[in-house]
């Protein structure tokens, strides 16, 4: 903190925003995707500072998708998994791509892509993030929402969250 006060101040502001929105999300089930992206940006900046020099984050957010209502904090566990399972163990610089767009069916898709690793479901099922996201999708959208996890070739993983867009 004493070595780079402006950076520390910026990270503390991101942490405060993230915590404030976390508390607010307990009282509101849905919010615009633009708010969800703000949360992801705050979390990503905090984690990128933690793993400085080991991660690059690329953003591609379609402005048309930002008004769609999404369950509050539904994407955070997906980004958290990238840091937990790909960045934290090490093994080189990781590029994380975060994109959001609307498709022709008026569905909103949020994609979180990582450049390293491959997805293999854990046999012990000790994690809860993906299960919670899937349960929330069913609760909000029944069969209209989806969570797709794809291994990329030669390496990497892309997680795509798709929900019907409502305003």
């Amino acid at each position: 903190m004493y070595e780079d006060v402006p950076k520390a101040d910026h990270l503390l502001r991101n942490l405060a925003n993230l915590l404030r929105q976390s508390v607010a999300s307990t009282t509101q089930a849905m919010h615009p995707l633009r708010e969800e992206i703000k949360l992801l940006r705050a979390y990503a900046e905090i984690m990128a500072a933690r793993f400085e020099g080991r991660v690059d984050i690329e953003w591609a957010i379609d402005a048309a998708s930002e008004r769609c209502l999404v369950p509050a904090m539904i994407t955070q566990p997906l980004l958290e998994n990238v840091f937990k399972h790909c960045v934290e163990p090490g093994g080189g610089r990781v590029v994380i791509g975060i994109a959001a767009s609307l498709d022709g069916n008026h569905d909103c898709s949020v994609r979180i892509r990582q450049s390293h690793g491959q997805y293999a479901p854990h046999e012990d099922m000790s994690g809860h993030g993906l299960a919670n996201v899937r349960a929330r999708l069913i609760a909000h959208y029944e069969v209209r929402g989806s969570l797709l996890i794809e291994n990329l070739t030669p390496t990497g993983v892309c997680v795509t969250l798709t929900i019907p867009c409502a305003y």
Side-chain angles (χ1 to χ4, degrees):
M1 181 171 161
Y2 297 110
E3 294 173 13
D4 192 343
V5 174
K7 181 178 178 181
D9 182 60
H10 180 73
L11 289 172
L12 284 173
R13 288 177 195 272
N14 279 332
L15 181 59
N17 289 336
L18 185 62
L19 293 173
R20 191 176 307 113
Q21 189 61 39
S22 296
V23 170
S25 72
T26 62
T27 61
Q28 62 184 42
M30 307 283 278
H31 63 187
L33 180 63
R34 97 176 53 78
E35 296 302 315
E36 189 76 0
I37 296 300
K38 285 181 189 177
L39 286 169
L40 282 182
R41 286 185 189 275
Y43 179 78
E45 285 189 31
I46 291 166
M47 296 304 285
R50 177 178 174 206
F51 297 106
E52 191 170 7
R54 293 175 47 197
V55 64
D56 291 317
I57 302 172
E58 301 170 348
W59 298 88
I61 309 301
D62 178 14
S65 66
E66 290 184 325
R67 290 183 40 229
C68 293
L69 294 177
V70 299
M73 297 199 63
I74 197 161
T75 59
Q76 193 274 338
L78 304 176
L79 185 55
E80 182 180 328
N81 278 347
V82 174
F83 282 98
K84 179 179 178 182
H85 298 291
C86 185
V87 178
E88 191 171 322
R93 190 175 203 90
V94 177
V95 177
I96 300 171
I98 301 169
S101 61
L102 288 178
D103 68 15
N105 296 326
H106 209 60
D107 286 338
C108 179
S109 293
V110 177
R111 289 170 308 288
I112 300 178
R113 174 187 42 81
Q114 66 193 50
S115 63
H116 290 39
Q118 294 281 278
Y119 173 71
H122 297 286
E123 290 181 17
D124 65 358
M125 301 301 275
S126 61
H128 300 287
L130 293 177
N132 286 341
V133 170
R134 285 189 173 109
R136 292 180 69 204
L137 282 174
I138 290 169
H140 284 281
Y141 306 105
E142 296 176 354
V143 297
R144 294 226 30 234
S146 66
L147 182 67
L148 176 65
I149 304 170
E150 300 174 282
N151 285 320
L152 304 175
T153 303
T155 185
V157 177
C158 183
V159 177
T160 304
L161 174 73
T162 304
I163 59 173
C165 183
Y167 301 104

